[in-house]
């Protein structure tokens, strides 16, 4: 699979980011979830209020993979480090990694609804 199909902006200034990106690109940013996550243009991307995570900032792309845990292990063997360990988000699971140069990216997969 390995398809880039989602983006995310992490910021402790979510409302300001919503105004900035909405004004610049015309993106519709939804209301925050209980986890302070807002969907962008339906399901094309997300805006994450990182205040509860220590206030980190990032703009990343996500690659959809078949097995998040296996991809994390392979990335680590190639020199990546884990920024956010595997998270079970109910309908999805994901992780954030840093490549050997420190660039953040995400890997994710939808979980079967069985």
């Amino acid at each position: 699979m390995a398809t880039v199909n989602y983006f995310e902006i992490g910021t402790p200034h979510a409302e300001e980011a919503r105004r900035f990106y909405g004004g610049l690109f015309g993106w519709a940013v939804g209301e925050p979830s209980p986890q302070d996550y807002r969907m962008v243009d339906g399901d094309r991307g997300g805006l994450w209020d990182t205040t509860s995570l220590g206030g980190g900032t990032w703009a990343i792309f996500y690659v959809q993979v078949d097995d998040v845990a296996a991809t994390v292990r392979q990335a680590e063997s190639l020199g990546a480090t884990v920024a956010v360990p595997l998270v079970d988000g109910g309908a999805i699971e994901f992780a954030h990694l840093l490549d050997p140069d420190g660039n953040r990216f995400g890997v994710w997969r939808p979980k079967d609804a069985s």
Side-chain angles (χ1 to χ4, degrees):
M1 204 175 283
T3 301
V4 175
N5 59 6
Y6 194 77
F7 72 90
E8 182 176 84
I9 299 164
T11 177
H13 310 289
E15 188 57 31
E16 291 88 345
R18 182 197 64 77
R19 282 194 299 272
F20 175 80
Y21 287 106
L24 182 62
F25 298 125
W27 290 349
V29 179
E31 293 300 313
S33 72
Q35 296 79 28
D36 290 325
Y37 199 87
R38 302 168 189 222
M39 298 304 294
V40 176
D41 277 350
D43 63 356
R44 295 183 57 215
L47 176 63
W48 195 351
D49 184 332
T50 62
T51 303
S52 66
L53 301 172
T57 60
W58 60 74
I60 65 173
F61 62 90
Y62 279 84
V63 179
Q64 185 174 341
V65 298
D66 291 327
D67 185 327
V68 174
T71 302
V72 168
R73 287 190 300 273
Q74 182 180 10
E76 287 180 303
S77 77
L78 294 169
T81 56
V82 176
V84 175
L86 190 140
V87 173
D88 183 338
I92 67 167
E93 61 183 24
F94 68 93
H96 288 188
L97 300 161
L98 301 175
D99 73 13
D101 284 328
N103 297 300
R104 185 183 288 249
F105 66 99
V107 293
W108 82 284
R109 77 171 184 94
K111 292 167 58 180
D112 294 328
S114 49

